[in-house]
Amino acid sequence: MNYILRRLGFYFVAAWASITLNFLLPRLMPGDPADAVLASAQGRLDPSTIAAMREAYGLSDDPLLVQYWSYLQGLARLDFGISTAFFPSPVMDVVQTGLTWTLLLGGVATIIAFVLGTLIGVFSAWRRGGIVDSAVPPLALFIGSFPYFWLATVVVFYVGFRWEILPEAYAYGLGLSPAFSWQFISSVMTHLILPALTVVLVSLGGWILGMRNTMVSTLSEDYVSLAEAKGLSQRRVMLRYAARNALLPNMTSFGMSLGFVLSGSLITESVFNYPGLGNQLVQSVSLRDFPLMQTLFLFITISVLAANLLVDLLYLRLDPRVRT
Amino acid sequence: MGNDLRKGASDKVASMMAAEMDRRQVFLRGAALGAGASAFAATLGQTGYKASAQATIEGMVTVSEQQRQTWIRNFNFLIPGGTFLWPTDNGIYEPSMIASRITGEITPWLAESFEYTADNLSLSLKYRTGVMWSDGTPFTAGDVAFTFNLLKDNAGLSGAGGLRNVLGITSTVEAPDDTTVTFTFTEVYTPGLFDILAQNIVPEHIWSTIEDPVTFLNENPVGTGPFTEIPIFESNYWELRRNPNYWQADKIGIEGLRFPILGDNDTAQRMLIGGEIDWAGNFVPDVENIYVAEDPENHGYWFPSTGDTVHLHLNTEAPNTPFADVNVRKAISQAIDRTEIVNLAMYDYTTPADSTGLSGGYPDWKDPAHAAAPWVTMDIEAANAALDAAGLVLDGDVRTFNGQPMEFELLVVNGWSDWNQAVQIMADNFAEIGIQATVTPLEQTVWQTRVQTGDYTMSIGWSSGGVTPFNFYRGIMSSQTYNPVGTSSPENWARFVSPEADALLDQFAATSDLAEQQRISSELQRVYAEQAPAIPLFPGPQWYEYNSTRFEGWPNEENPYCVPSTYSGERLLLMTTIRTKAATTPTT
Amino acid sequence: MSTTPVKDATLTPNGKPLLSVRDLRVQYMTARAPVRAVDGVSFDIAPGEVLGLAGESGSGKSTVAQALLRILNPPAVIAGGTIDFQGRDILAMSDRELEQFRWQDLSMVFQSAMNALNPVMTVEDQIIDTILSHRAMNETRARKRARELFEIVGIDPSRLHSYPHELSGGMRQRAVIAIALALQPPMMIMDEPTTALDVVVQKEIMQQIEDLKNEMGFSILFITHDLSLLVEVSDRIAIMYAGQIVELAPARELYERPLHPYTQGLLNSFPALTGPKERVTGIPGSPPDMAAPPSGCRFHPRCSKVRGFHARLVPPLTEVEPGHFVACHLYTSPDGPPDGGPG
Ligand SMILES: Nc1ncnc2c1ncn2[C@@H]1O[C@H](COP(=O)(O)OP(=O)(O)OP(=O)(O)O)[C@@H](O)[C@H]1O
Ligand SMILES: [Mg+2]
């Protein structure tokens, strides 16, 4: 358990560093959120209005340490300040509307792509030169080589807009309210299909290739030969001995992908008008909503750390060698 | 992109939309290819933008106005920055009167009449009886007085247009009885009338209990407007339905308004083309082919040029520039090919500006006598002659001033493609008169700071506007809006002051006699045409598309009863005119 | 002195062989050219016999072993020959038959115990999955059997739940042997079971193998390049050079009277396990490139007794004395080419 303590310590320090940077950066930059709003109001705001707004944003002239302390207290309460684009709504209220959807879309797409790609990679390597191996990986790589944006736009246009086979926008049907009802859940699922599908399509090739490569080198390991020699079933040799070990190096990339789910679905969300954090990030940049932007960046950083922690824990479970 | 012209102060999505431009191109090309494929249309699933499965949406007008990634409940329209939901003001809440920029008419709304005292130092307004707040409480003049005092007491709240200037010279706002409100002023300033009339009114019985109105979200608004009820509010969709207590119930021909999330201009446009939007305020390129042609019967648009006029600002106080010389300014103006700008940068959605600088938003004010000065018509020869006469001799390809070559930066906001295209054309034009302009795109905040503090020589930019030409001329040639280079100046970026205009503006602000004001306005136009304080390029068109499949009574060129854009302050006129078509089958 | 061609020879000393390999050819189909790692190998193993297989590194010993179990990895292909095990042709077996045959009839101790164990499974799981896939036995019984096996190979059964990396090198090797014993097969292949271990552990394990063999009576194909070790444990010894068997003889005989210059060189390069330490001479030159092996006698470039025709003619494996086979012109045509051509 020494290992896990060490890792936890590392993540704690990393999280603290990013939280502190998040605090310092905007304060080291010239200007403040009021300036951003000032710019968007095309300079027609009264000076007294600006002063009052500065106050409303909670911008203070307290010593940095005092500000830092109240910033940390705010974080503990999940209080990330006030959004300027949605003033005076708290940033967290804005983020909340997108968080679930990004996690759902990114999570589902990443997991499906990973699982599917890994299975195909395992099988391709196992039957090297077979039908699957000669057809699927090249095809997946070919599809993956399309510019994602183009692919997604084509899908939106034909499947969603022209043929109206599946919804091409939103996380669920307009007019529905979140509820534990079949109507709502099925709506969420049908709305998930197209955006998730496009992500899976373009990322599948990478997973297949990654898994196929590690699998091929694992297959020449002695313990795989021994397993075969022992007369174990093909399935058991392939999965329990070869794939199980080949999976380990790929877990790290899986963790990274999971970690970047928050930021990675930017284009997907934008093309499919999916109400996630990626869209919010684009919006916060264009509206110069610095508090929202900062919070999103913090979320992204923390999610990368969390995903890596998750992978570390998974490793702990999957690889007995790291346990000691 | 054209969107920035759309709605002066509150348009912040412009730069984001610029990024969408490429995508739209892809999409539109796809649209052309896919027309045939639509025959395969299947209806296996409920498509994204299709109607709600729960409530009936018959009689609900689908609107494309705000482009947000998520809806957040905020109906406090008194806070600055336009972060509240549309249409909180001039929708849920109402003004005293509505002055139309297209008809020039003033429509009494909550107020029935106004009257200045002879010295113009006091104004009294008469309000209707029988108006109710949506919660059933009667509306009174007390609510009006409360609203203005609330604004006066809270610097963090912004008022309609230039209201904060008016509040600065307002000593009291009182309601002596339930139908009368009296303003007293410390100095005479009659143009403030329109800011007062346009201010929307909030209910005292609700807002008087609010501790801090600047951070108040007003999640459950109580207004006097035609639509006040919010039966559903989700982050991707909300509805605004009829006020059960509306005082002009007989004028309401629709059930309400509905707002699907429209993340960006591309999405909005796709829905518009698909016939799912009834009322939009979007920039659409090549609107005839892209939108109207889809359904010529029902798809309509109208882009009245009532927005503020876009100008080329020449900093008269920039070192080593000859811009203080009126003849140089006029010569530069004569070099500009406005027809090409309007054609290429603006898709011919507007017209070249005239020599009054006034847009189409001043029908009762513009004096044709001053509209056709020669310096707004392209004439390279005359321009060169004038510059020669001004002593700016050519040295090779470039003229010199005080021995310095006339090589200047021409500032523009990065990503605003219509402006970028316009400055590119101008830079080419200027080369023909020996001025080398380097187009310099800047981030909006940076650009803003530079033009406001006078750290520039040439820049494209907007101008001020209002119901009367007063604000426009005050903002472009008055000592009251002048700030020296180095001091931030929200208006008058050219740092131009005309003593003659100053006097005229003072006269204008001192009278409440409309005929007198119009006479003075003519004089101001003369001064502008003589002085060319800034170089007018084109009036900003107002974007407006409608779909008459389900609703009728839309304003258009044949029936121009108000400025029709969603973001227009006159939208209540539209909302209380359109009605559901009688024979309409339920919408999908 | 008879010169019986190899195909007709009885390579077993007496009785019916357990395993009979004839003319086995394995090639690694590399991009450059096929590497003929095993090129016409024939031998028999009698029940209970220990056949030693020795040769320099890269001579093809492990390839032979893997071919016997048909666990060669791509790009290796079996290009020819037959492998007969108790009357069944291993090379003709279907996947199902093969699964049955493996371990049940022929098990193997891998060259490197470190790599032979699955790092993410406990040793116990790696034993019982072998048992369970061949025997109709419940898990509890299989676990009991695993304990027995650990006791047999001399590891504390409490270590059964360990992962491979938690065991010492010696224990790992014993665990691998335990796995090989799991089904009590009539024959085992031991591919350098002790090379990676220090001398003391090496000795212990060799002793263990001896004891087990004596107790259980299985045949062993014992592979090593350590000839002196082989002499101790083997009944007969085969010497491989460049994919071919160049000498095959009873252990003592080979040790005392090596015929092939290569064998002589090999014997010189190892100090005897017992007895006085001699100077290690070794064999000059390096093993040939198997993608393009030397013509004629493959050893001729390194042979001190080489004659011109050795480069042209392949010496057949010939029984020069009863039970002593050698493939060397010195014994089959000492006076020149058999056709009497120029030497
Ligand atoms: N995957 C491969 N591709 C190409 N050639 C190979 C491959 N594996 C083995 N070889 C070649 O086959 C020959 C025999 O290899 P093998 O492993 O059977 O030798 P060995 O006698 O067991 O050697 P060692 O004593 O080092 O274990 C070698 O020359 C080697 O270069
Ligand atoms: Mg080997």
Side-chain angles (χ1 to χ4, degrees):
Chain A
M1 287 306 96
N2 207 344
Y3 164 82
I4 200 67
L5 281 181
R6 264 202 326 269
R7 298 307 290 165
L8 278 176
F10 165 77
Y11 288 117
F12 182 80
V13 171
W16 172 78
S18 56
I19 283 171
T20 305
L21 263 182
N22 195 51
F23 166 80
L24 283 178
L25 277 182
R27 282 165 179 80
L28 295 177
M29 285 188 310
D32 59 42
D35 293 339
V37 171
L38 182 85
S40 60
Q42 301 191 342
R44 288 170 187 176
L45 282 183
D46 206 73
S48 58
T49 307
I50 294 166
M53 285 196 72
R54 280 183 56 90
E55 202 184 310
Y57 285 134
L59 301 165
S60 71
D61 297 325
D62 288 342
L64 220 53
L65 263 177
V66 176
Q67 289 187 46
Y68 184 56
W69 179 239
S70 55
Y71 163 80
L72 289 182
Q73 282 177 320
L75 286 195
R77 291 191 309 268
L78 287 183
D79 173 359
F80 296 92
I82 286 173
S83 156
T84 58
F86 293 92
F87 181 84
S89 298
V91 166
M92 203 49 206
D93 285 7
V94 182
V95 172
Q96 229 162 24
T97 63
L99 191 58
T100 333
W101 302 119
T102 293
L103 287 177
L104 182 73
L105 172 59
V108 164
T110 309
I111 291 171
I112 289 182
F114 174 72
V115 170
L116 206 63
T118 300
L119 287 179
I120 295 174
V122 165
F123 196 75
S124 297
W126 186 252
R127 291 276 151 82
R128 204 147 35 129
I131 302 172
V132 172
D133 189 35
S134 3
V136 181
L139 184 72
L141 284 174
F142 176 66
I143 294 174
S145 68
F146 287 133
Y148 174 74
F149 176 75
W150 180 86
L151 186 82
T153 309
V154 166
V155 166
V156 164
F157 186 76
Y158 287 103
V159 185
F161 183 63
R162 280 289 175 196
W163 305 334
E164 299 187 5
I165 296 170
L166 281 166
E168 83 283 15
Y170 306 140
Y172 53 90
L174 294 183
L176 290 180
S177 295
F180 257 114
S181 66
W182 172 241
Q183 191 192 22
F184 179 72
I185 292 170
S186 64
S187 179
V188 167
M189 290 194 315
T190 50
H191 282 75
L192 195 57
I193 296 177
L194 284 191
L197 183 77
T198 55
V199 175
V200 169
L201 276 181
V202 294
S203 55
L204 194 61
W207 291 121
I208 292 180
L209 213 65
M211 190 60 190
R212 188 183 174 280
N213 286 348
T214 48
M215 185 73 180
V216 163
S217 59
T218 308
L219 281 176
S220 61
E221 292 284 346
D222 278 353
Y223 53 77
V224 178
S225 297
L226 175 59
E228 246 192 314
K230 289 198 292 188
L232 301 182
S233 68
Q234 299 276 300
R235 243 179 71 109
R236 192 172 169 83
V237 178
M238 176 170 81
L239 298 178
R240 195 82 175 78
Y241 283 75
R244 178 69 171 62
N245 281 287
L247 192 64
L248 293 176
N250 287 321
M251 288 308 297
T252 312
S253 11
F254 178 57
M256 290 312 277
S257 305
L258 271 189
F260 285 113
V261 151
L262 284 194
S263 54
S265 25
L266 215 127
I267 303 178
T268 320
E269 289 178 6
S270 154
V271 175
F272 290 92
N273 199 12
Y274 203 82
L277 295 190
N279 263 346
Q280 286 190 5
L281 189 62
V282 174
Q283 176 180 264
S284 69
V285 170
S286 63
L287 301 185
R288 295 192 176 73
D289 189 340
F290 287 104
L292 181 55
M293 231 185 290
Q294 272 173 48
T295 308
L296 290 171
F297 283 133
L298 190 63
F299 267 69
I300 289 168
T301 321
I302 300 289
S303 74
V304 171
L305 291 178
N308 277 292
L309 178 63
L310 190 79
V311 168
D312 278 345
L313 293 175
L314 261 176
Y315 258 114
L316 205 61
R317 181 104 204 85
L318 292 180
D319 192 346
R321 281 165 293 187
V322 303
R323 273 175 238 171
T324 38
Chain B
M1 284 203 24
N3 312 71
D4 46 275
L5 298 176
R6 216 181 68 166
K7 41 172 168 175
S10 64
D11 185 41
K12 294 187 281 183
V13 280
S15 48
M16 172 170 72
M17 290 177 191
E20 308 286 354
M21 191 72 176
D22 293 341
R23 175 137 63 101
R24 185 175 59 228
Q25 299 296 328
V26 173
F27 178 78
L28 291 176
R29 246 166 258 149
L33 291 171
S38 62
F40 292 99
T43 45
L44 292 176
Q46 176 196 25
T47 58
Y49 303 106
K50 285 287 148 66
S52 118
Q54 283 181 335
T56 168
I57 56 154
E58 212 193 323
M60 296 291 285
V61 174
T62 307
V63 183
S64 163
E65 156 60 25
Q66 284 169 313
Q67 288 172 356
R68 285 296 167 90
Q69 302 301 341
T70 181
W71 295 136
I72 298 285
R73 262 189 123 109
N74 178 354
F75 298 101
N76 182 355
F77 68 95
L78 295 179
I79 51 177
T83 56
F84 48 89
L85 288 163
W86 187 95
T88 306
D89 58 331
N90 299 304
I92 297 173
Y93 295 92
E94 294 181 314
S96 296
M97 293 193 184
I98 300 170
S100 172
R101 304 272 314 259
I102 196 92
T103 62
E105 276 168 31
I106 297 177
T107 309
W109 210 255
L110 291 175
E112 289 176 307
S113 64
F114 62 87
E115 199 182 358
Y116 272 101
T117 51
D119 59 3
N120 288 333
L121 278 169
S122 175
L123 169 72
S124 69
L125 292 138
K126 245 323 181 226
Y127 283 84
R128 288 177 200 282
T129 52
V131 175
M132 294 251 249
W133 293 102
S134 54
D135 64 357
T137 313
F139 161 88
T140 69
D143 292 311
V144 180
F146 170 80
T147 301
F148 284 98
N149 285 313
L150 183 74
L151 287 164
K152 207 164 143 49
D153 296 343
N154 289 281
L157 300 178
S158 70
L163 187 77
R164 287 230 77 89
N165 293 335
V166 183
L167 292 173
I169 52 146
T170 303
S171 47
T172 58
V173 186
E174 280 161 352
D177 59 60
D178 276 359
T179 58
T180 312
V181 173
T182 311
F183 289 78
T184 53
F185 305 110
T186 56
E187 56 187 79
V188 176
Y189 181 65
T190 54
L193 170 69
F194 295 100
D195 299 320
I196 290 171
L197 292 181
Q199 178 59 48
N200 279 220
I201 307 302
V202 297
E204 180 174 11
H205 68 281
I206 309 264
W207 288 67
S208 58
T209 63
I210 303 308
E211 208 167 289
D212 183 3
V214 180
T215 54
F216 178 45
L217 282 168
N218 193 22
E219 295 181 47
N220 298 295
V222 171
T224 58
F227 307 105
T228 55
E229 304 307 293
I230 303 162
I232 173 167
F233 193 100
E234 292 299 331
S235 59
N236 65 356
Y237 177 78
W238 68 285
E239 289 178 359
L240 183 63
R241 288 181 181 258
R242 291 177 71 147
N243 173 357
N245 298 311
Y246 194 48
W247 57 280
Q248 320 179 76
D250 56 320
K251 286 195 173 178
I252 304 305
I254 58 174
E255 287 306 312
L257 309 165
R258 54 196 291 274
F259 310 97
I261 273 280
L262 305 167
D264 50 52
N265 209 34
D266 184 32
T267 308
Q269 203 167 296
R270 191 189 321 153
M271 281 182 69
L272 187 65
I273 296 166
E276 289 169 58
I277 300 222
D278 300 301
W279 182 21
N282 295 110
F283 166 77
V284 178
D286 196 12
V287 67
E288 279 287 351
N289 284 319
I290 284 178
Y291 178 59
V292 178
E294 282 279 319
D295 183 358
E297 233 356 56
N298 295 307
H299 287 188
Y301 74 98
W302 177 35
F303 300 155
S305 297
T306 56
D308 302 328
T309 300
V310 174
H311 281 70
L312 172 69
H313 297 273
L314 304 172
N315 188 349
T316 57
E317 290 187 353
N320 289 319
T321 59
F323 300 148
D325 183 341
V326 59
N327 293 322
V328 172
R329 293 197 297 271
K330 286 182 175 173
I332 287 173
S333 174
Q334 270 187 305
I336 297 172
D337 190 347
R338 290 180 177 75
T339 314
E340 187 169 325
I341 290 176
V342 162
N343 177 258
L344 292 182
M346 298 306 299
Y347 294 85
D348 272 333
Y349 290 162
T350 182
T351 50
D354 63 37
S355 55
T356 64
L358 294 176
S359 74
Y362 305 93
D364 293 346
W365 300 88
K366 194 179 276 193
D367 186 344
H370 307 299
W375 58 272
V376 290
T377 312
M378 189 178 185
D379 187 342
I380 299 286
E381 226 169 278
N384 273 314
L387 293 177
D388 289 342
L392 307 170
V393 286
L394 265 176
D395 177 11
D397 287 343
V398 181
R399 290 176 189 279
T400 55
F401 173 69
N402 288 350
Q404 299 273 341
M406 291 184 69
E407 296 169 349
F408 308 118
E409 281 186 330
L410 174 48
L411 306 193
V412 61
V413 179
N414 191 19
W416 295 10
S417 61
D418 51 352
W419 281 18
N420 276 274
Q421 212 158 356
V423 293
Q424 203 58 61
I425 293 169
M426 287 193 278
D428 293 348
N429 295 154
F430 295 159
E432 294 187 49
I433 55 166
I435 296 175
Q436 190 188 318
T438 311
V439 172
T440 310
L442 299 171
E443 274 300 297
Q444 191 188 339
T445 38
V446 178
W447 169 81
Q448 190 103 40
T449 312
R450 287 190 58 179
V451 290
Q452 287 192 2
T453 56
D455 178 16
Y456 79 102
T457 46
M458 299 174 131
S459 177
I460 192 170
W462 50 73
S463 56
S464 303
V467 178
T468 74
F470 180 85
N471 281 342
F472 172 68
Y473 290 120
R474 182 177 178 272
I476 216 154
M477 50 184 188
S478 156
S479 61
Q480 293 197 24
T481 53
Y482 167 84
N483 288 289
V485 167
T487 306
S488 183
S489 186
E491 297 172 275
N492 201 346
W493 297 337
R495 269 81 187 161
F496 179 85
V497 176
S498 156
E500 197 182 0
D502 265 350
L504 288 166
L505 288 165
D506 284 347
Q507 290 173 31
F508 190 106
T511 177
S512 54
D513 176 3
L514 189 68
E516 176 67 3
Q517 283 183 336
Q518 280 170 339
R519 191 192 60 75
I520 300 166
S521 156
S522 260
E523 287 298 290
L524 283 165
Q525 291 171 53
R526 178 184 55 75
V527 175
Y528 181 94
E530 282 172 12
Q531 295 294 327
I535 314 302
L537 299 174
F538 52 84
Q542 304 288 292
W543 312 123
Y544 160 66
E545 298 86 15
Y546 64 94
N547 185 340
S548 58
T549 311
R550 295 172 284 267
F551 304 96
E552 61 193 1
W554 299 103
N556 51 32
E557 236 164 331
E558 287 80 53
N559 184 18
Y561 61 83
C562 70
V563 175
S565 309
T566 46
Y567 46 88
S568 148
E570 300 162 37
R571 56 181 170 250
L572 274 168
L573 295 173
L574 183 148
M575 290 185 207
T576 52
T577 305
I578 58 166
R579 42 200 66 240
T580 313
K581 272 188 176 171
T584 295
T585 45
T587 50
T588 44
Chain C
M1 191 154 55
S2 62
T3 54
T4 326
V6 69
K7 286 189 181 77
D8 308 320
T10 307
L11 299 175
T12 1
N14 42 46
K16 207 168 162 286
L18 181 69
L19 173 80
S20 180
V21 177
R22 287 293 175 274
D23 198 24
L24 182 64
R25 292 164 195 278
V26 181
Q27 298 178 354
Y28 289 94
M29 309 305 280
T30 60
R32 198 161 52 93
V35 174
R36 292 150 79 181
V38 175
D39 201 17
V41 163
S42 304
F43 61 86
D44 287 346
I45 294 180
E49 186 192 19
V50 177
L51 176 68
L53 186 58
E56 281 176 306
S57 188
S59 56
K61 307 181 296 292
S62 297
T63 308
V64 169
Q66 288 167 19
L68 297 186
L69 275 161
R70 278 180 60 189
I71 54 169
L72 286 160
N73 283 320
V77 292
I78 295 178
T82 55
I83 305 171
D84 186 282
F85 191 91
Q86 289 180 326
R88 288 174 292 157
D89 183 359
I90 295 176
L91 297 184
M93 282 181 181
S94 69
D95 282 359
R96 271 214 77 76
E97 289 171 317
L98 208 54
E99 266 173 36
Q100 289 289 313
F101 161 76
R102 287 171 174 163
W103 230 251
Q104 173 82 34
D105 290 315
L106 178 59
S107 68
M108 175 164 170
V109 175
F110 273 62
Q111 185 161 358
S112 152
M114 181 65 227
N115 303 332
L117 291 169
N118 185 344
V120 300
M121 280 171 80
T122 62
V123 192
E124 179 180 44
D125 286 343
Q126 299 185 55
I127 296 176
I128 66 171
D129 71 351
T130 319
I131 299 170
L132 291 176
S133 68
H134 288 276
R135 300 263 193 277
M137 196 185 267
N138 67 26
E139 216 179 295
T140 328
R141 289 263 297 121
R143 283 185 200 289
K144 227 184 116 217
R145 173 80 183 128
R147 292 182 68 85
E148 286 168 21
L149 286 166
F150 256 45
E151 273 158 11
I152 289 172
V153 297
I155 318 179
D156 182 351
S158 67
R159 306 305 301 263
L160 272 170
H161 301 289
S162 304
Y163 287 94
H165 71 279
E166 295 166 336
L167 300 176
S168 70
M171 283 198 272
R172 268 199 294 265
Q173 194 57 275
R174 285 172 207 266
V176 170
I177 293 170
I179 294 176
L181 292 170
L183 302 177
Q184 286 187 296
M187 176 177 166
M188 280 163 76
I189 300 166
M190 295 199 171
D191 192 354
E192 314 210 23
T194 59
T195 348
L197 306 174
D198 66 65
V199 189
V200 181
V201 183
Q202 199 171 349
K203 268 189 164 170
E204 278 174 24
I205 292 193
M206 284 313 298
Q207 192 54 51
Q208 185 107 52
I209 292 172
E210 285 264 26
D211 296 348
L212 287 169
K213 187 205 111 76
N214 292 337
E215 203 172 303
M216 303 179 185
F218 44 76
S219 308
I220 303 180
L221 174 64
F222 198 101
I223 297 172
T224 179
H225 46 241
D226 183 350
L227 256 179
S228 49
L229 186 70
L230 269 191
V231 178
E232 308 277 310
V233 295
S234 314
D235 298 313
R236 290 186 303 144
I237 295 176
I239 305 293
M240 261 188 104
Y241 182 76
Q244 294 173 335
I245 290 181
V246 295
E247 187 163 5
L248 175 63
R252 263 303 100 203
E253 160 105 8
L254 186 115
Y255 189 63
E256 279 157 12
R257 278 191 354 98
L259 296 180
H260 200 285
Y262 176 65
T263 313
Q264 293 165 356
L266 271 186
L267 279 168
N268 279 340
S269 55
F270 285 96
L273 208 60
T274 53
K277 283 226 184 317
E278 283 170 33
R279 197 174 59 88
V280 178
T281 48
I283 309 161
S286 50
D289 173 10
M290 306 277 272
S295 56
C297 173
R298 291 191 175 171
F299 189 61
H300 83 261
R302 300 170 73 187
C303 187
S304 53
K305 296 166 182 152
V306 66
R307 287 180 57 190
F309 73 94
H310 292 185
R312 281 183 285 115
L313 296 177
V314 179
L317 186 62
T318 312
E319 191 165 19
V320 293
E321 266 164 50
H324 195 146
F325 298 79
V326 69
C328 177
H329 291 299
L330 296 178
Y331 307 97
T332 48
S333 1
D335 310 317
D339 56 4

